[in-house]
Amino acid sequence: MFILVGLEGLRMVVGSAVSRIILAQVAVTMAMALLLLVSGSSVGAASALSGGAVGFIASLVYARKMLAPKGGDPKAFLSAHYRAEAYKLAYTILLFSLVFTQFKDVQVVPLFATYIATLLVYWVALIFVKSL
């Protein structure tokens, strides 16, 4: 469910570098979930999907809110950044709350490992992407 919402919203994000980063986060999420599923842990795979979804949906929310204001005003840009970070934090808290209240059998190691992996995708991408 989280994945469909995130992928649908991805089309609305402007900028190919941002889209590639979020798609890489989705790919990492799917790979980790698939590894767990192949190893026989369907609950672990679902937990990994949930953790990854929290990561890439929060990134998507940030990207959508961070659309740079026209004119290049530094104050407007900084304000947009703060607003986007606040939304990202709120969505992260909300999504983790939903996971922990609705998914009673959640396994925390796959959940947080995949969430952290989606965060690492962003930081690794900063090394290779020249312009966001």
Side-chain angles (χ1 to χ4, degrees), residues 1-82:
M1 174 172 68
F2 287 136
I3 294 171
L4 294 177
V5 171
L7 291 176
E8 179 62 30
L10 184 59
R11 292 188 301 168
M12 301 182 76
V13 175
V14 179
S16 62
V18 173
S19 297
R20 285 192 306 260
I21 290 170
I22 295 172
L23 285 173
Q25 289 176 321
V26 172
V28 165
T29 298
M30 298 304 287
M32 290 182 75
L34 186 60
L35 284 172
L36 286 164
L37 188 60
V38 168
S39 73
S41 177
S42 60
V43 174
S47 298
L49 279 174
S50 298
V54 170
F56 70 73
I57 290 173
S59 294
L60 181 62
V61 166
Y62 177 87
R64 290 184 67 191
K65 294 293 179 183
M66 189 53 210
L67 296 176
K70 305 297 184 226
D73 178 27
K75 288 181 183 180
F77 184 80
L78 187 59
S79 175
H81 168 70
Y82 287 146

Side-chain angles (χ1 to χ4, degrees), residues 115-131:
Y115 173 72
I116 291 168
T118 63
L119 297 179
L120 290 175
V121 166
Y122 174 75
W123 290 104
V124 169
L126 288 177
I127 296 169
F128 297 106
V129 175
K130 296 186 189 314
S131 161

Side-chain angles (χ1 to χ4, degrees), residues 43-44 47-48 51 96 99-100 103-116:
V43 174
S47 298
F96 272 124
V99 169
F100 284 118
F103 187 8
K104 299 299 181 190
D105 296 331
V106 67
Q107 294 178 356
V108 295
V109 172
L111 175 84
F112 286 116
T114 309
Y115 173 72
I116 291 168

